[in-house]
Amino acid sequence: MINRKLAKILSKRYIILASLLLIAALGLVLLPSYQKNENTTAENLLAKVINPERYITSDVLADNIITNDPSIILVDVREVDEYTAYTLPNAINIPLGDILNEDYQGYLDQDRYNIILFSNENFKADQAWLLLNRLGYSNLHVLNGGINGWYHTILNPPKPTEDMPNEAYELYNFRRAAGLFFGVGIKAKEKKVVKKAVKKVVPKPKKKKRKPEGGC
Amino acid sequence: MKELEKTKRISISTVLFILVLIIGVLTFKQPRNVYKKTQEETLSALKSTDYLVHLEDIANQDPVIIDVRSKSEYSISHIENAINIPTAEILENKSIALLSDVKNTGETAFIYGKNPDEANSAWMLLYQLGYDNTKILNVETNHIDNKLVVKNYSLEKPIANYLEIFKTITPEKVEQIKKITPKPTKKVIPVKKKKKRKPEGGC
């Protein structure tokens, strides 16, 4: 009796399995449309944002430029007129508005060179950095402080005061030398105004000659 | 015998197939944060500077203000009614829930940090995730005597006349100071003439 029932079901087993698979296949249609992040997830991007490695200091960059480091590409994201006025040596100009242009992707999307983005400050360079990182590009860095920071550290470094450690003086000397390398003009030394020492004349009271007095 | 083996194989493979399907459905997870704006849309938003707001502009409203500085800095002083969400925690469930609330009520959230640079990253992330009701407060904040001093900030402003530093100043010709050597004058020692004393009356 049992055997016969089982045999009945078993005879339809292919139909049952096939219908199960069909239902599962139809279920795929009902699934919500899959939303996915291309290239980088927001969480990964945030992790990169927090990582201090995204910034490069102007001292390190100056050293890299002076030693002719072949692995860096400097990208100036300021406007064209600012770029023509002054830029870092060998920098290419990609204004922030054109950063997603296809013409420039060859420069930006590669993994051989370190790309260093800079603007007047961090703001625009950061924005370019975030946009490009969302595209999944690697080896992107931002020059910390931008051109303004560059000016305050390399071109016009603050003189260390006497209570600073020796390293501060070494850093200052390096920056001065780097500044000269990048074409900072040599300034004339301030003329020292030497006051002529005026001889002090102490008037001596002259002794009055006494009139000859009559003797006694 | 052959027939039985065949059916066995078929049923095993089908069961396995269905198992895989079930596991797939159970582990299906949507990414929590999905970009709602493309890069191009974001870039066009960056070009218009609507997202930068000065402090005066929100003075009369009762806005939602988000402080992205670290907790310790927030605890020293902060703008009144500001909510502290450090940049590192901006994508945590709590913060996202708060931001969605703000978005649903149609309010605007203003983000500030030490300077707009600090608020920038958080804002850009949130904007791309679709929270386009967020803006950056274009201010610079400093602690002075444990009080927060908020100043408006001029972004990306180049240093005035910074190109001056490349001008070489040719040192002016220093006029050689002629040494004026005083001519040695003959010293004339005047011989004092002895005055003849008048004869005085002796005693």
Side-chain angles (χ1 to χ4, degrees), chain A residues 123 127, chain B residues 41-54 57-58 108-111 123 127 132-138 155:
Chain A
F123 198 75
Q127 292 180 335
Chain B
E41 281 169 337
T42 318
L43 191 57
S44 58
L46 293 180
K47 278 178 193 163
S48 71
T49 45
D50 295 342
Y51 62 91
L52 288 167
V53 177
H54 281 295
D57 302 336
I58 58 162
T108 313
F110 298 95
I111 303 174
W123 174 78
Y127 186 84
D132 47 7
N133 58 330
T134 48
K135 284 180 177 174
I136 299 179
L137 268 186
N138 194 3
L155 259 180

Side-chain angles (χ1 to χ4, degrees), chain A residues 119-137:
Chain A
S119 58
N120 278 332
E121 281 172 356
N122 287 352
F123 198 75
K124 273 187 171 181
D126 268 348
Q127 292 180 335
W129 183 90
L130 263 154
L131 282 175
L132 294 175
N133 255 301
R134 200 186 136 187
L135 284 171
Y137 297 175

